[in-house]
Amino acid sequence: MKDVANAAAPLRIAIVGAGAAGTLVALNVVRRSEPGTTLALTFVDPAEDLVVGAAFSTTDPRHLLNVPAAGMSFDPEDRFDFATWCSDQGMVDADEASYWFAPRREWARYLRQRWQETLAAACDRVTVTHVRRRATGLVPDGTGITVTVEGDEPLQADRAVLATGLPSVGDSWAPRDLAGEPRYVADPWRPGALEALLADDEDVLVVGTGLTMVDVALSALGEAGSGRRVVALSRNGRLPQPHAPAYLGEVVPDVRAWGSTLPEVRAAVHAHVGAVEQLNGDWRPAIDGIRYRVAELWKRLSESDREAFLRDVAGEWGVRRHRIPPASQAALEEHQAAGRLEVRAGKITAVEGTEGGVEVATADGDQLRFGWVVNCTGPRSDVRTLGNPVLDGLLGVGDRTPVAVTDGLGLGLVTRDGQVLGADGDPLPLWTLGALRRGELWESTAIPEIRVQAGEVAAALLAD
Ligand SMILES: Cc1cc2nc3c(=O)[nH]c(=O)nc-3n(C[C@H](O)[C@H](O)[C@H](O)COP(=O)(O)OP(=O)(O)OC[C@H]3O[C@@H](n4cnc5c(N)ncnc54)[C@H](O)[C@@H]3O)c2cc1C
């Protein structure tokens, strides 16, 4: 392996995926590297700019962070950095900034600014290249790793990071292939996906009632006074819970005696939540405290318990753990009270395109007509089925030889503290973080977790 102290030969690091996670790794690598170290960083991502993945490419100011500003600093050791940045920018009063839910586009601007400042401070010992192409493969070659790129030369690196983020959206609910329907929005996270929908006033069916539905409904309904109606439908009609109006703290439990089976852990969680609720009058500090213990508890569960968790518990956990800001909740309630937004439980049995719209049938026998149908059922969970060429290549999808493997449920890659293990169990010169570590950690998709992982990955990339 390269001696990183040798200033003459730069350490070449390829970062596949330049979203929030990839950018946080790069930022940590530059900040943590010794002044004598030279670095050649290459982002590989078709996106035009950094930090524009599924969550942060939105330009709609109604799309708010679902984590208060105090949880969104790029540096967990400098907790209030983002909150202070927001108040310095004049977006919020300093005394309210830490529990403020900023528009997500502002966080992207913040992270890009911190990245540029970090780069400027490193002067010319760091070179950065952005290859605006999709990566198609990662091939370790004994001394380093080759990144193959769509329509471009392969790229040689000493070490690489795979930060391709949230899996692509799934639509297993759809009664048939809707890909050809002009008024069906299959992936609302794709930049510009809602443009045509926002340009008219037709009614909208949103399939799914989670966080993505909240974004889409608030955009589609726009300012009060629009004549449009939105119906949000899911199997259980369950909405995300709102954050409390003010910060309530976190009660981190001692989980040593919580057992190692799903029934034992569930019982312990219920007891903890009940006790905290009795003491504080609110369940939220209990759930927020458990967040710090999720990885530890997840590790204890057998594969069949994890499967049962995904099937029976993950939905209920998700609506309490990933909450919406009070302002989004108030806007939803206002739209519901005015009859512009209806949230329903149901199952779609048929979808047919008609002249300028879509007819939808439900299992209850309803026949509904909408101008648009938007898929907000969230990401697919099995990374083996995403059709992302870089993952397919790595995992040997098709008849290729696998370089790396996933956990049994396909939730993420098998790693040792983020360093990807080869199919033979040996560590590769490749690290990953975020959604691709869900198999090992479960809660691994939000910035409070990703920023810690980014620091750890950066330290490993710089280590001999
Ligand atoms: C709608 C939404 C709202 C969210 N809100 C919040 C929030 O408020 N707070 C919070 O903490 N978290 C939030 N999250 C979670 C969020 O996913 C993470 O915070 C963060 O965006 C994850 O960053 P990432 O870099 O891992 O993934 P992404 O941001 O998705 O970036 C992945 C990047 O990889 C690139 N890529 C993919 N495949 C390839 C390939 N083959 N070759 C090259 N590049 C590739 C993509 O183009 C993309 O730029 C939200 C998620 C969503 C979907």
Side-chain angles (χ1 to χ4, degrees):
M1 255 185 210
K2 181 172 288 290
D3 177 3
V4 295
N6 178 358
L11 177 69
R12 298 167 304 169
I13 299 175
I15 301 176
V16 176
T23 307
L24 282 165
V25 170
L27 196 153
N28 275 280
V29 164
V30 177
R31 276 167 58 102
R32 287 163 187 251
S33 58
E34 297 292 332
T37 307
T38 54
L39 297 166
L41 304 182
T42 305
F43 290 108
V44 182
D45 193 320
E48 267 309 302
D49 206 348
L50 306 186
V51 203
V52 286
F56 300 110
S57 57
T58 175
T59 55
D60 190 330
R62 297 177 193 88
H63 296 175
L64 304 180
L65 292 170
N66 55 37
V67 177
M72 292 296 290
S73 165
F74 78 92
D75 180 359
E77 303 297 316
D78 187 3
R79 196 166 167 219
F80 297 106
D81 186 59
F82 176 58
T84 307
W85 183 87
C86 291
S87 63
D88 288 350
Q89 298 276 319
M91 291 187 283
V92 61
D93 288 343
D95 55 353
E96 290 173 11
S98 58
Y99 198 66
W100 189 54
F101 296 84
R104 294 208 296 275
R105 65 180 187 184
E106 300 300 343
W107 191 80
R109 199 160 68 81
Y110 155 78
L111 187 58
R112 283 196 287 267
Q113 185 179 319
R114 288 290 182 258
W115 163 241
Q116 289 301 337
E117 290 162 358
T118 303
L119 213 49
C123 299
D124 51 6
R125 70 182 180 83
V126 182
T127 59
V128 179
T129 311
H130 185 167
V131 177
R132 288 186 176 80
R133 306 266 182 176
R134 266 203 319 179
T136 52
L138 286 158
V139 188
D141 55 21
T143 56
I145 186 160
T146 301
V147 185
T148 55
V149 178
E150 219 163 48
D152 211 334
E153 293 292 311
L155 207 134
Q156 307 294 329
D158 299 307
R159 295 162 190 191
V161 178
L162 183 62
T164 47
L166 276 177
S168 43
V169 284
D171 58 2
S172 54
W173 60 269
R176 66 178 176 84
D177 183 7
L178 298 175
E181 286 297 339
R183 289 182 157 258
Y184 172 59
V185 180
D187 178 1
W189 300 329
R190 193 175 47 76
L194 298 176
E195 221 166 83
L197 179 155
L198 296 176
D200 71 28
D201 221 8
E202 299 277 338
D203 289 351
V204 178
L205 173 67
V206 178
V207 185
T209 55
L211 295 170
T212 307
M213 178 283 287
V214 175
D215 280 354
V216 171
L218 294 182
S219 290
L221 291 166
E223 301 308 322
S226 146
R228 142 179 292 162
R229 281 186 75 242
V230 171
V231 173
L233 181 144
S234 68
R235 292 296 290 265
N236 46 40
R238 185 169 47 200
L239 288 170
Q241 293 285 324
H243 281 283
Y247 179 61
L248 299 176
E250 295 156 342
V251 183
V252 183
D254 175 352
V255 299
R256 280 173 298 181
W258 278 24
S260 55
T261 67
L262 186 59
E264 285 170 337
V265 173
R266 279 187 84 172
V269 166
H270 281 292
H272 172 64
V273 172
V276 171
E277 200 166 12
Q278 205 167 31
L279 207 69
N280 293 21
D282 202 294
W283 51 269
R284 292 172 182 84
I287 296 291
D288 294 350
I290 294 172
R291 179 178 187 159
Y292 297 95
R293 299 286 177 254
V294 166
E296 191 180 336
L297 294 169
W298 184 250
K299 275 195 180 74
R300 292 182 197 170
L301 298 182
S302 65
E303 191 172 305
S304 59
D305 270 350
R306 290 179 184 187
E307 201 169 11
F309 172 86
L310 293 180
R311 191 185 56 236
D312 304 329
V313 189
E316 191 55 39
W317 168 254
V319 295
R320 290 172 184 273
R321 157 70 189 81
H322 300 275
R323 302 193 290 272
I324 55 174
S328 305
Q329 172 73 8
L332 286 184
E333 282 173 0
E334 195 183 313
H335 288 309
Q336 282 178 293
R340 290 188 292 268
L341 171 66
E342 183 190 345
V343 179
R344 297 170 66 138
K347 181 175 185 309
I348 292 172
T349 51
V351 180
E352 282 309 322
T354 58
E355 185 65 33
V358 189
E359 298 269 357
V360 176
T362 70
D364 300 338
D366 286 334
Q367 285 285 342
L368 309 162
R369 189 185 181 287
F370 299 93
W372 297 93
V373 175
V374 186
N375 176 33
C376 292
T377 51
R380 283 185 222 190
S381 64
D382 189 338
V383 301
R384 297 166 297 193
T385 64
L386 304 178
N388 189 327
V390 73
L391 277 169
D392 287 356
L394 203 61
L395 298 172
V397 173
D399 55 3
R400 287 168 287 186
T401 311
V403 179
V405 287
T406 69
D407 61 284
L409 301 174
L411 295 173
L413 299 176
V414 173
T415 80
R416 185 182 299 151
D417 300 327
Q419 181 166 15
V420 178
L421 299 183
D424 56 5
D426 286 343
L428 303 175
L430 175 66
W431 281 258
T432 193
L433 72 166
L436 291 175
R437 292 201 62 201
R438 281 189 318 159
E440 293 170 339
L441 306 171
W442 179 243
E443 286 293 348
S444 186
T445 57
I447 300 303
E449 283 82 20
I450 289 177
R451 62 187 182 176
V452 176
Q453 294 173 23
E456 291 163 358
V457 166
L461 286 166
L462 291 167
D464 278 337

